[in-house]
Amino acid sequence: MSSPLEDVSVGMEEEDQRPLNRALLHRSATTNASQVAMVGSNPCPIESLDYDYWTAFWVFAGCNLALLLLASSITAFLSPAAGGSGIPEVKAYLNGVDAPNIFSLRTLAVKVVGNIAAVSSSLHVGKAGPMVHTGACIAAIFGQGGSRKYGLTCRWLRYFKNDRDRRDLVTIGAGAGVAAAFRAPVGGVLFALESLSSWWRSALIWRSFFTTAVVAVVLRLFIELCGTGRCGMFGRGGLIMYDVSTVFDDLMTYHLKDIPTVILIGVTGALLGGLYNFLMIKVLRLYNAINERGGAHKLLLAATVSIVTSCCVFGLPWLAPCRPCPTTGPLSSPDGTCHALNRFRRFHCPKGHYNDLASLFLNINDDAIRNLYSTGTNDVYHPVSMVIFFVASYALGVLSYGVVAPSGLFVPIILTGATYGRLVAMLLGGRSGLDHGLVAILGSASFLGGTLRMTVSVCVIILELTNNLLLLPLVMLVLLISKTVADSFNSSIYDLILRLKGLPHLDGHAEPYMRQLAVGDVVAGPLRSFGGVEKVGNVVHTLRTTGHHAFPVVDEPPFSPAPVLYGLVLRAHLLVLLKKREFLVAPERCPKEYVAERFQAEDFDKRGSGKQDTIADVVLSPEEMEMYVDLHPFTNTSPYTVVETMSLAKALVLFREVGLRHLLVVPKACDRSPVVGILTRHDFMPEHILELHPVLLRSRWKRLRWQRGAMAKYFRSLIVWVANSG
Amino acid sequence: MSSPLEDVSVGMEEEDQRPLNRALLHRSATTNASQVAMVGSNPCPIESLDYDYWTAFWVFAGCNLALLLLASSITAFLSPAAGGSGIPEVKAYLNGVDAPNIFSLRTLAVKVVGNIAAVSSSLHVGKAGPMVHTGACIAAIFGQGGSRKYGLTCRWLRYFKNDRDRRDLVTIGAGAGVAAAFRAPVGGVLFALESLSSWWRSALIWRSFFTTAVVAVVLRLFIELCGTGRCGMFGRGGLIMYDVSTVFDDLMTYHLKDIPTVILIGVTGALLGGLYNFLMIKVLRLYNAINERGGAHKLLLAATVSIVTSCCVFGLPWLAPCRPCPTTGPLSSPDGTCHALNRFRRFHCPKGHYNDLASLFLNINDDAIRNLYSTGTNDVYHPVSMVIFFVASYALGVLSYGVVAPSGLFVPIILTGATYGRLVAMLLGGRSGLDHGLVAILGSASFLGGTLRMTVSVCVIILELTNNLLLLPLVMLVLLISKTVADSFNSSIYDLILRLKGLPHLDGHAEPYMRQLAVGDVVAGPLRSFGGVEKVGNVVHTLRTTGHHAFPVVDEPPFSPAPVLYGLVLRAHLLVLLKKREFLVAPERCPKEYVAERFQAEDFDKRGSGKQDTIADVVLSPEEMEMYVDLHPFTNTSPYTVVETMSLAKALVLFREVGLRHLLVVPKACDRSPVVGILTRHDFMPEHILELHPVLLRSRWKRLRWQRGAMAKYFRSLIVWVANSG
C-alpha cells in the first residue's frame, strides 16, 4: 500500500496536459469549488505521493477542518441566519413571514464566504440553496433601498419600498440564484414559482424570466470572454453543466419494454427519498439540541462532521480493488494509462490501474455527476463500489446538512440519485437495455422527486443540465411516480425544515376540521383597539404591553352617532406618529392641510429589514402623554372584514388568497361592539386551533388511523407527534 | 411557361423514392395536414404537369374551396362556438365566464373535423389553437360526468362535478392540447399556466405536468410503434418537430457583437406584432359585420378568402425566377437535380432548377418552417422572394383567421416570423455573422412575442421545437424585447379578441379610477332577496322576472329578533327545490331529518354545460304557489361580504383572488337592511363603471393623453374608442 509512486497528472479536461510540479496529494481546495467560483486562479491540480498516506491524510483532513471551522465560526458568531440552505427562509418570507436578519448585508457576506469554504472543505453539501439565498439577499437589499448603514443607497429604489414589490424582487432574485447555480434560466423561473412563491401573477412570471435571461446572457458573455483560459477556472465549461450529448448519443435510446424499469426507479426513489427526509429531520433535531448549548458546541459538531467526512472520503476508497485501465474503446489512452482523465483516479494503484471508488470520492461533485451520467461507461464502476459510495453519500448527506454553515441539498441529492440509478442498472444487468448513464439521470430525477417533491422545475433543470430533450418523457414519468409515492409518507424536505424551524407557513388549503369551526371559535382576546382620536398615553401603553402589529380604530360619540368601525391602523405608522410628536391639545379631528403640512408619504415607507422602529425608541414627556393624536388620517379605512359566524375554512381562503396580515372580525348582530376580534396568521395555524379545541385532535387522529395504510400512517403520525412535542 | 415537363417526384423525406404515377399538379390535400393527422394513409405526393396550369389551378382552387366550405358550413350551422381558435373562450372560461356550448360534444366534433378541413384547404391557419380547445373540450366532458345525451357517462366522474375541479380539468386539457400540437410537454404546462389560467396552485402545476407527461409518453410510444412506416404518415417525425441540430451545428454559434442584431430583431418584431394585432382586430370587426347577416354570408366570405388564398399560393410563385439547383455542398444531389428534397420545388422550372417561392408556398407550413430554420442554407432563397412571401403570409394571416371555421394563429405566426427573420439576415448581409436559420428562429420568437406576448411558454416551446439549448439566451432576450416594446401599443391578440367578443374577462389588477370609488358607488339595484322561509309564488316570480344567479336570504321576525343576513342561495339550487316540489303548508322551519330524507347531495351537483335547468321547466299549480319553502338548509351561511364603504379596488382584489361570483354588500351603520347590494363580475367591468360615472372617463382620457407618447397613445385610444363604440 505504500509503494513509491511516480507523479501522475490529473487534468481538468482531457486535453489539459500541464507540466507537473511536485506537491502533496490532496483533494485540492481549488478544484472543490465550482468552476465559476475562482476568478483568475491557475490551479495545478496534481497528485504526487512522495510523502506517505498518513501525512497526506492529516493535511487533507486538516485543510478540510480549517475551512469548515472558518465557515462555521463566521456563521455562528456573525450571522446565524446564514446557516443552512436558506430556501426554507425564503419560502417563508414569500409566504409573509418576516424572519429577522435573513436578508441583511452581513448575512449575504457570511453566506457567500461560508458556502465557498464549506463546499471547499469536502463537506457533502452543495451550493444551489445558498445561491438562492444569496440572490434573494441581493434583491431584498435593492428592495429596501440599499443599505443606509453602509452607505449603499439610491434614490430611485424608493419605489420598491412596499410589501409586494419587495416580495417580487426576492422571488426573482431567488430564481436568478437557481439559474446561476445550474446555468438553467428557465429552470430558475420555474423553481421560484413552483417551490418558493405563494402567489403568482403573470407580471411576476415575465419579470422572473427577464432576470434569468440576463443571467443566461451574462453567463454566455463570460464564457466567451474567458474562453481562451484568461480567467483561469472561472468561465470554464459551457452553458450546459452535465452535457451528455456526446458521440454516444445512440446509446441514449429507450423502448417500450423499459417502462417497468422506469417505474421501479421511480418507486424506489420515492422510498429512499421519503426515508431521507425522515432521517434528515431526526438528525436536525439532534443537532439543534447540540447547537443550542452554545458556540463552542456548534464548532465541535462541525469539527466532528468534518473529520468523519475526511475519514470517509480518504478512507473508503481503500476498500475498492485496483482495476486495469481500459485499453480499448473510446476511454482508452494510447499510452495505456487512463490517469489523464479525471474519471480514473489512480489513488494507490500501480500505473495503468485505477481505483473506481477514489474516482468518485476524490472528485468534485460536479465531475462525479458528469462521470456517472456519461454514456458508454457501463464497465467503469463495480457494483460493490457503487453500493459503498451510495451508502456513504446518503449518510453523509443526511449528516452534513445540519452543520452550522451555509450548505445546500441539491447537488448531493443529484449525486446520490445518480449513484443509485447506476446501481439499479447494474443490478438489473441484461434485463434492461438502457445505458447506465441514462439510468443514472433517471435515478437523480427520481431521488429529487422523492425528497424535494418538485415536478416541472426539476424536469426543466435536468433538461437544461443534460441538454437531452429526447429523455424528457422518461424523466417526467419518473418524477411523477416518485413524487406521488413519496407524498404518501411525508412532506418535502423544505416543508419539514420549515416546520422544524417553527416558521408559521400558511398553506392555501384548509384542513378538514376548519370547516367545523367558525371564525369566532378561534379569535383570541382581549381585543385592543383605539378611538378615532386617542390619548397618547393610551397608545404608548398599548404598544408597550402588546406585540400586535395592527389595531382597529373605532369611532365613538361625539365623532359618530353610534360606535362604528373606522378602520385599521398599523403599529409601524403609530410609531412614526409618536416619533414626530405632532400632538393635539384637545381631542378633535385635524383638517387635511394639517396632515399634508407635517407628514410626507415617505415617512411611512416600509422599513428595511435591518432598521425596525420599536416603542422603546419613543421617549415622551408626561405632558405629551396627556395630549391627543388624531388617528383618522393614518387609518386604513377599507380593512377586510369577516362576520364572526363565517366558516373558518372560508376565512382562511380569504386570508391566504388576498395575502392579508390582519383580518377584522365583525359581529353578526348590531348590538355589540363594532369589532369583536382580529385574526392573524397564528390564529390559522393548526397548533393554535388544536390547542383551543383538543377534541378535534382526537378525531383527527382517529381519522388518520383509518384513512391511511399502516406504514404511511405510522410515518405521518410520528411526524405530527414529533412536531407537536418538539 | 408551358413546356412539357417530365414526372418529378416529390418525397416527404430525402430517402423517400416512391414509384411515380401520373397525376395532376396539386398541393395535395394529404400533405397539407399535419403529419400526425392521417392514420394509415399512404400518399403518393407527386407532381406531374401533363395538363396545363389553368386546369391545375382550377382543381387546386376547387379542392380548397370544397374543403373550406365544408369546414365553414359545419361550423356555421352545427356549432358556431367551434369557430376561431377557441383559446379566448377557454381563457374566459378559466376566468369564470361560462359561455354557452363551448365544451359540448358537438363542438368537439365540429372543431376536429372543421380544423382538419380548414388546414387541408391551404388556408393560412394553424392547428394549435383548435387543439387547445379540443383538449379542453375532452376534459370538460369528463368533468361534467360524460355526456348523458349520448350515453357516455361513468359514475366515478361525479367527484369532478364542482367548479374548481372542472376548471382544473379544462386547464390541464388545454395544456395537453399544446403539448400534442408542438410535441412540447413542458411548453404545454407553461402555456396553460401563463396564458390561460387565472388562478395558480401547486397542485394544478403537477397535475398539468402529469397530463403532458402522458402526452409525451404516448407520442413516443406511437413513434416507436409506427416507426417502420406501418401507420402511413401517422407517427412520422420524431419528438422534435423542427429539429435543427444537424451536422451544421457549428453554424449555430453567436457572439457578443450579435447583440445589436438581436435587439433589432426584437424591436422590429414588436412593431410588426403590434401592427398585426391592430389589423387583425379591424379585419375581425369587418368580418363580424358580414357574418352577422346570416349563414349564406358566412359561406360567401369563406369562399372569397379561399379563392384569394388559392390565387396567392398558386399565382405568386410565378414572380420568382428559376434558379439552378445547388451542385456542390451538402444540399446537392449526385444527379444534379434537387427535386428529391421538398426544400426545392420545381414548379414551372426546367430540370435542374427550382423556384424558391414555390418551395415556400407549395409546402405545408411545418415543412416551410423546417426549411427556413435549417442552417447552412443561406443562399437557397432570394431576398425578393422572401419579401413577397413575407407580405403574403402576413396579409393572409390577418385575413384568414376571421373565417367561420376552426382556425389557429400559432403556426402562421411562426412561419411569418421565420420569414421576416431570414429577410433581416439577408438585408444585414455580411454585417451579421449569424446563420440565417438561426436568425429565422429568432424572428419567429420575436414575432410570437410581439403578437401573443407570452414569454416563458414560448421560450420553452421554441426550445422543445428546435432542441437547441445553446440558443436559449438569445431567444429569451428577443422575446423580452419584443414583448416589452409591443406592450406599449396594445394587448395580446387573445386579449383583444376576448374584448371583441364581449367576454367579461376580469383582470387581477384594479384600474386607477377604482381607488376613488367605494363599493356603494357601483352597486346597481334593486336588490331581490328572500326570507328564510319564503312563499313559493314569490320565489317563482323572482326567478322569472330576473336573471340573477344568487339571492341573499334575510331572516326576519319571527325567525330572528331583528332582520339579519342569513346567507346566500343560488338560483340553481332553488330550481332543484322547486322541481322536487317538497313544500310546506305553513311558514315554519323544517328539521334536519326532513331535509336528509328528501334530498341528496347529488341533487345539487353542478350541471353539465349542455343541461341547464331553467325556470321555464318549472310548472306549479296555484295551490303549490301558496305554499312555503324553507330555504335555511340550502343557503350558504358563510357568504363573503364587504362593507359598502370599502374601496372598490380592494373589493376587486377580494373578488378576483378568491374567485367569487357574488359578493354581498352590507351596510356600515346598523339601522338599515342587513344587506344593501350584491356585486357580480359585471359591476367591476370598466364599461359599467364608466357608464355610471362618466366623469372618470374624461379624466381617464386626460390621463392617457399626457402619460404616453404620441404614437402609442394614438393606438391605445383608438383601440379603446373602437372597443367602446363597437
Side-chain angles (χ1 to χ4, degrees):
Chain A
M1 197 180 278
S2 57
S3 54
L5 299 162
E6 298 160 41
D7 295 341
V8 290
S9 73
V10 179
M12 296 311 298
E13 304 293 333
E14 299 175 50
E15 68 280 353
D16 196 4
Q17 303 283 347
R18 295 176 199 254
L20 304 174
N21 299 330
R22 293 182 166 268
L24 293 172
L25 165 73
H26 64 91
R27 186 172 180 187
S28 59
T30 51
T31 58
N32 273 3
S34 164
Q35 289 174 330
V36 291
M38 306 299 298
V39 184
S41 68
N42 271 320
C44 301
I46 39 81
E47 306 173 32
S48 150
L49 292 160
D50 282 356
Y51 299 84
D52 69 332
Y53 293 108
W54 280 113
T55 318
F57 172 71
W58 291 126
V59 173
F60 177 56
C63 289
N64 292 348
L65 188 66
L67 283 164
L68 188 57
L69 284 178
L70 166 68
S72 282
S73 42
I74 58 174
T75 308
F77 299 117
L78 282 185
S79 178
S85 89
I87 288 180
E89 283 86 350
V90 172
K91 185 169 177 171
Y93 180 81
L94 293 177
N95 191 255
V97 179
D98 272 333
N101 284 330
I102 51 173
F103 293 139
S104 62
L105 209 54
R106 181 188 291 188
T107 303
L108 174 63
V110 167
K111 198 89 188 184
V112 172
V113 175
N115 188 232
I116 292 175
V119 172
S120 310
S121 74
S122 309
L123 197 66
H124 198 61
V125 294
K127 65 183 193 303
M131 285 185 85
V132 169
H133 193 180
T134 304
C137 269
I138 294 171
I141 288 170
F142 268 109
Q144 69 190 28
S147 178
R148 243 179 281 249
K149 204 156 95 178
Y150 299 104
L152 304 160
T153 181
C154 176
R155 200 158 156 64
W156 62 268
L157 289 174
R158 72 182 186 278
Y159 294 111
F160 295 125
K161 284 190 166 189
N162 61 78
D163 269 322
R164 192 180 78 175
D165 282 334
R166 193 170 296 174
R167 290 189 209 288
D168 280 357
L169 282 173
V170 168
T171 309
I172 64 182
V178 174
F182 295 115
R183 303 182 201 183
V186 184
V189 176
L190 295 176
F191 180 86
L193 294 178
E194 185 184 5
S195 308
L196 297 179
S197 179
S198 298
W199 295 282
W200 306 64
R201 275 191 352 267
S202 278
L204 185 58
I205 295 168
W206 83 257
R207 283 166 188 167
S208 312
F209 187 75
F210 176 70
T211 311
T212 54
V214 171
V215 169
V217 170
V218 168
L219 262 174
R220 186 69 181 75
L221 183 71
F222 273 119
I223 287 170
E224 183 167 331
L225 287 177
C226 293
T228 53
R230 281 174 291 189
C231 318
M233 286 183 61
F234 187 82
R236 276 290 184 79
L239 260 189
I240 300 156
M241 279 178 82
Y242 309 135
D243 198 338
V244 294
S245 53
T246 64
V247 293
F248 305 123
D249 239 346
D250 51 335
L251 290 169
M252 274 286 182
T253 54
Y254 48 92
H255 305 282
L256 185 58
K257 62 182 178 66
D258 298 319
I259 299 278
T261 312
V262 171
I263 295 176
L264 171 71
I265 293 171
V267 170
T268 41
L271 296 173
L272 290 169
L275 182 66
Y276 190 89
N277 288 3
F278 173 69
L279 292 174
M280 176 79 81
I281 294 297
K282 299 286 272 176
V283 167
L284 285 178
R285 279 190 192 282
L286 174 66
Y287 283 14
N288 280 353
I290 297 172
N291 289 332
E292 270 163 19
R293 299 183 186 201
H297 284 86
K298 294 179 186 177
L299 296 183
L300 201 62
L301 178 63
T304 313
V305 173
S306 173
I307 290 171
V308 167
T309 306
S310 301
C311 292
C312 285
V313 166
F314 199 91
L316 286 175
W318 293 102
L319 300 175
C322 291
R323 312 179 73 194
C325 289
T327 43
T328 56
L331 293 176
S332 61
S333 318
D335 59 351
T337 66
C338 47
H339 308 304
L341 308 172
N342 67 3
R343 179 172 291 133
F344 303 108
R345 292 281 183 199
R346 190 172 154 189
F347 202 52
H348 67 291
C349 295
K351 200 171 154 74
H353 290 69
Y354 74 99
N355 181 322
D356 59 350
L357 207 49
S359 311
L360 290 167
F361 273 116
L362 294 173
N363 254 326
I364 64 174
N365 285 345
D366 286 345
D367 282 341
I369 293 171
R370 209 171 286 120
N371 294 339
L372 288 170
Y373 280 178
S374 57
T375 46
T377 55
N378 284 9
D379 301 320
V380 172
Y381 304 101
H382 194 262
V384 176
S385 307
M386 297 302 283
V387 171
I388 295 171
F389 185 66
F390 172 68
V391 173
S393 183
Y394 196 96
L396 285 177
V398 169
L399 292 173
S400 307
Y401 178 76
V403 164
V404 176
S407 51
L409 282 170
F410 240 91
V411 170
I413 289 176
I414 291 179
L415 180 57
T416 311
T419 314
Y420 132 78
R422 271 213 174 229
L423 193 56
V424 167
M426 286 176 189
L427 295 176
L428 285 178
R431 274 176 287 255
S432 150
L434 294 170
D435 184 86
H436 291 195
L438 192 149
V439 183
I441 297 177
L442 295 181
S444 291
S446 87
F447 200 53
L448 278 169
T451 48
L452 302 178
R453 313 291 162 79
M454 302 186 306
T455 49
V456 185
S457 34
V458 166
C459 184
V460 174
I461 286 174
I462 284 183
L463 172 68
E464 288 180 296
L465 281 175
T466 58
N467 191 19
N468 197 321
L469 196 58
L470 295 172
L471 212 49
L472 199 64
L474 284 191
V475 172
M476 292 173 97
L477 198 62
V478 97
L479 267 173
L480 285 162
I481 293 171
S482 67
K483 175 187 159 70
T484 315
V485 173
D487 266 343
S488 60
F489 294 113
N490 49 22
S491 306
S492 91
I493 186 68
Y494 293 134
D495 288 339
L496 293 175
I497 295 175
L498 254 181
R499 264 176 254 162
L500 182 67
K501 288 182 181 260
L503 295 166
H505 186 272
L506 203 61
D507 281 330
H509 65 275
E511 299 278 335
Y513 53 80
M514 287 187 186
R515 293 180 217 283
Q516 307 165 30
L517 292 170
V519 162
D521 296 334
V522 300
V523 167
L527 177 70
R528 312 291 290 265
S529 66
F530 293 127
V533 177
E534 187 65 56
K535 191 186 273 195
V536 172
N538 283 350
V539 175
V540 172
H541 176 76
T542 305
L543 290 181
R544 280 201 186 127
T545 53
T546 66
H548 301 321
H549 285 275
F551 303 91
V553 174
V554 177
D555 258 345
E556 306 249 337
F559 299 105
S560 121
V564 70
L565 172 66
Y566 187 72
L568 191 72
V569 68
L570 299 179
R571 169 184 283 259
H573 296 175
L574 288 173
L575 289 170
V576 172
L577 286 184
L578 293 177
K579 287 190 160 178
K580 276 265 184 179
R581 302 166 97 137
E582 297 278 358
F583 303 138
L584 307 159
V585 177
E588 60 193 6
R589 292 189 68 154
C590 40
K592 277 194 181 152
E593 306 76 35
Y594 180 90
V595 173
E597 288 163 16
R598 289 162 178 72
F599 294 96
Q600 288 178 350
E602 283 121 14
D603 297 334
F604 296 96
D605 271 343
K606 190 173 163 73
R607 296 281 183 266
S609 65
K611 294 174 52 61
Q612 299 293 342
D613 294 329
T614 61
I615 189 63
D617 305 335
V618 171
V619 175
L620 298 171
S621 63
E623 296 82 26
E624 284 173 323
M625 290 289 217
E626 292 301 315
M627 295 171 85
Y628 294 87
V629 60
D630 179 11
L631 297 178
H632 289 102
F634 312 102
T635 306
N636 172 10
T637 53
S638 285
Y640 286 99
T641 59
V642 283
V643 181
E644 61 183 345
T645 51
M646 180 80 140
S647 149
L648 187 63
K650 296 189 84 170
L652 171 67
V653 170
L654 167 58
F655 192 92
R656 177 67 158 75
E657 293 301 317
V658 180
L660 298 177
R661 198 173 177 191
H662 302 96
L663 184 59
L664 289 172
V665 181
V666 294
K668 190 153 182 118
C670 279
D671 49 355
R672 298 159 55 190
S673 163
V675 57
V676 295
I678 190 166
L679 290 178
T680 62
R681 169 182 295 264
H682 290 279
D683 296 311
F684 291 103
M685 300 304 292
E687 295 78 29
H688 170 77
I689 298 174
L690 295 173
E691 201 180 319
L692 285 178
H693 303 275
V695 62
L696 292 170
L697 176 61
R698 283 199 288 274
S699 63
R700 190 162 166 243
W701 273 68
K702 272 196 210 151
R703 192 167 35 250
L704 272 180
R705 260 207 293 272
W706 48 258
Q707 260 179 8
R708 306 266 189 176
M711 192 58 165
K713 171 260 306 175
Y714 173 73
F715 269 118
R716 202 174 157 112
S717 322
L718 197 62
I719 299 280
V720 167
W721 174 77
V722 168
N724 284 340
S725 62
Chain B
M1 198 182 277
S2 57
S3 55
L5 298 164
E6 297 161 40
D7 296 342
V8 290
S9 72
V10 177
M12 296 312 298
E13 304 292 334
E14 296 177 50
E15 67 281 353
D16 196 4
Q17 304 284 346
R18 294 173 198 253
L20 304 175
N21 299 327
R22 293 182 167 268
L24 293 170
L25 164 73
H26 64 92
R27 187 172 178 189
S28 60
T30 51
T31 56
N32 273 1
S34 163
Q35 289 176 330
V36 291
M38 308 298 299
V39 183
S41 68
N42 273 323
C44 301
I46 40 81
E47 305 172 31
S48 151
L49 293 159
D50 283 356
Y51 298 84
D52 69 330
Y53 293 106
W54 280 113
T55 318
F57 172 71
W58 291 126
V59 174
F60 178 56
C63 289
N64 291 350
L65 188 65
L67 284 163
L68 188 57
L69 283 178
L70 166 69
S72 280
S73 43
I74 59 174
T75 307
F77 299 117
L78 283 186
S79 178
S85 89
I87 288 179
E89 284 87 350
V90 173
K91 185 170 178 169
Y93 180 82
L94 294 177
N95 191 254
V97 179
D98 272 331
N101 284 330
I102 52 172
F103 291 140
S104 61
L105 208 55
R106 181 188 290 189
T107 303
L108 175 63
V110 167
K111 198 89 188 186
V112 173
V113 175
N115 188 232
I116 291 175
V119 172
S120 310
S121 74
S122 309
L123 197 66
H124 197 61
V125 294
K127 65 183 195 301
M131 286 185 83
V132 170
H133 193 180
T134 304
C137 269
I138 294 171
I141 289 170
F142 267 108
Q144 69 191 25
S147 178
R148 242 179 282 249
K149 203 155 98 179
Y150 300 103
L152 306 159
T153 180
C154 176
R155 201 162 155 61
W156 62 268
L157 288 175
R158 71 181 187 278
Y159 293 112
F160 295 124
K161 283 189 167 188
N162 61 78
D163 270 322
R164 193 181 76 175
D165 281 335
R166 192 169 297 175
R167 290 190 211 287
D168 280 358
L169 282 173
V170 167
T171 309
I172 64 183
V178 175
F182 296 117
R183 303 183 202 183
V186 184
V189 176
L190 294 176
F191 180 85
L193 294 178
E194 185 183 6
S195 308
L196 298 178
S197 179
S198 297
W199 295 281
W200 306 63
R201 280 192 345 271
S202 279
L204 185 57
I205 295 168
W206 82 257
R207 283 167 188 168
S208 311
F209 187 75
F210 176 70
T211 310
T212 54
V214 171
V215 170
V217 170
V218 168
L219 262 174
R220 185 70 178 75
L221 182 71
F222 273 119
I223 286 169
E224 184 168 327
L225 287 177
C226 294
T228 52
R230 280 174 292 190
C231 319
M233 285 182 61
F234 187 84
R236 276 291 183 80
L239 260 190
I240 300 155
M241 278 177 83
Y242 309 135
D243 197 339
V244 293
S245 52
T246 64
V247 293
F248 306 123
D249 237 344
D250 51 336
L251 290 170
M252 274 284 181
T253 54
Y254 49 93
H255 306 282
L256 186 56
K257 62 181 177 67
D258 298 319
I259 300 279
T261 313
V262 171
I263 296 176
L264 172 71
I265 293 170
V267 171
T268 40
L271 296 172
L272 290 169
L275 182 66
Y276 190 90
N277 289 4
F278 173 68
L279 292 174
M280 176 78 82
I281 293 297
K282 299 286 271 176
V283 167
L284 285 178
R285 279 191 192 284
L286 174 66
Y287 283 13
N288 279 355
I290 296 173
N291 289 335
E292 269 162 21
R293 298 182 188 201
H297 285 86
K298 294 179 186 176
L299 295 183
L300 201 62
L301 178 63
T304 312
V305 173
S306 174
I307 291 170
V308 167
T309 307
S310 302
C311 292
C312 285
V313 167
F314 200 90
L316 286 175
W318 294 103
L319 299 175
C322 291
R323 311 179 72 196
C325 290
T327 43
T328 57
L331 294 175
S332 61
S333 320
D335 60 350
T337 66
C338 46
H339 307 305
L341 306 173
N342 67 4
R343 180 172 289 131
F344 304 107
R345 292 280 182 199
R346 190 171 155 190
F347 202 52
H348 67 293
C349 295
K351 199 171 153 73
H353 291 68
Y354 74 100
N355 182 322
D356 59 350
L357 208 48
S359 311
L360 290 167
F361 273 115
L362 293 174
N363 254 326
I364 64 175
N365 286 345
D366 285 344
D367 281 340
I369 293 171
R370 208 171 287 120
N371 293 340
L372 288 169
Y373 279 178
S374 56
T375 47
T377 55
N378 283 9
D379 302 320
V380 171
Y381 304 102
H382 194 263
V384 176
S385 307
M386 296 302 283
V387 171
I388 296 172
F389 185 67
F390 171 67
V391 172
S393 182
Y394 196 95
L396 285 177
V398 169
L399 292 173
S400 308
Y401 177 76
V403 165
V404 175
S407 51
L409 282 170
F410 240 91
V411 171
I413 288 175
I414 292 179
L415 179 57
T416 311
T419 316
Y420 134 78
R422 268 212 177 230
L423 193 56
V424 167
M426 286 177 187
L427 294 176
L428 285 177
R431 275 176 287 256
S432 147
L434 295 170
D435 184 86
H436 292 194
L438 192 150
V439 183
I441 297 177
L442 295 181
S444 292
S446 86
F447 200 53
L448 279 168
T451 49
L452 303 179
R453 312 294 163 78
M454 302 187 304
T455 49
V456 185
S457 36
V458 165
C459 182
V460 174
I461 287 174
I462 284 183
L463 172 68
E464 288 180 295
L465 281 176
T466 58
N467 190 20
N468 197 320
L469 195 60
L470 295 172
L471 213 48
L472 199 63
L474 283 190
V475 172
M476 292 173 97
L477 198 62
V478 96
L479 268 173
L480 285 162
I481 293 171
S482 68
K483 175 187 159 71
T484 314
V485 173
D487 266 343
S488 59
F489 294 113
N490 49 22
S491 305
S492 91
I493 185 68
Y494 293 133
D495 287 338
L496 292 174
I497 294 174
L498 253 182
R499 263 176 255 162
L500 181 69
K501 289 183 180 257
L503 295 166
H505 186 273
L506 203 61
D507 282 330
H509 65 275
E511 300 279 334
Y513 53 80
M514 287 188 184
R515 292 180 217 285
Q516 308 164 32
L517 294 170
V519 162
D521 296 332
V522 301
V523 167
L527 178 69
R528 311 292 290 264
S529 66
F530 294 127
V533 177
E534 187 64 57
K535 192 187 272 197
V536 173
N538 283 351
V539 175
V540 173
H541 175 76
T542 305
L543 290 181
R544 281 201 186 128
T545 53
T546 65
H548 302 322
H549 286 275
F551 304 91
V553 174
V554 177
D555 258 346
E556 305 248 337
F559 299 105
S560 120
V564 71
L565 172 66
Y566 188 72
L568 191 73
V569 68
L570 299 180
R571 169 184 283 258
H573 296 175
L574 288 172
L575 288 170
V576 172
L577 285 184
L578 293 176
K579 286 190 161 181
K580 276 266 185 180
R581 302 165 98 136
E582 298 278 357
F583 303 139
L584 308 158
V585 176
E588 60 192 5
R589 292 189 69 156
C590 41
K592 278 195 180 151
E593 305 77 36
Y594 180 90
V595 171
E597 287 163 17
R598 288 161 179 71
F599 294 95
Q600 289 178 346
E602 282 120 15
D603 297 334
F604 296 95
D605 271 344
K606 190 173 164 71
R607 295 280 181 266
S609 65
K611 293 176 50 63
Q612 298 295 340
D613 294 329
T614 60
I615 189 61
D617 306 333
V618 171
V619 175
L620 299 170
S621 64
E623 295 81 27
E624 284 174 322
M625 289 288 218
E626 292 301 315
M627 296 172 83
Y628 293 87
V629 60
D630 180 12
L631 297 178
H632 289 104
F634 313 102
T635 306
N636 172 9
T637 53
S638 285
Y640 287 99
T641 59
V642 282
V643 181
E644 61 184 347
T645 50
M646 181 79 140
S647 148
L648 187 63
K650 297 189 83 170
L652 171 66
V653 170
L654 166 59
F655 192 92
R656 176 68 159 76
E657 295 300 317
V658 180
L660 298 177
R661 198 174 178 192
H662 303 97
L663 185 59
L664 289 173
V665 181
V666 294
K668 191 154 181 114
C670 279
D671 49 355
R672 297 160 56 191
S673 163
V675 56
V676 296
I678 190 166
L679 290 178
T680 63
R681 170 182 294 265
H682 290 277
D683 296 310
F684 291 103
M685 300 304 292
E687 295 79 27
H688 169 78
I689 298 173
L690 295 173
E691 202 180 320
L692 285 178
H693 302 275
V695 62
L696 293 170
L697 176 63
R698 284 197 288 275
S699 62
R700 189 164 165 240
W701 273 69
K702 270 195 207 149
R703 193 167 34 249
L704 270 181
R705 259 206 293 270
W706 48 258
Q707 259 179 8
R708 307 266 188 177
M711 190 61 165
K713 169 260 306 176
Y714 173 72
F715 270 117
R716 204 176 155 108
S717 322
L718 197 64
I719 299 280
V720 168
W721 174 78
V722 167
N724 283 342
S725 63

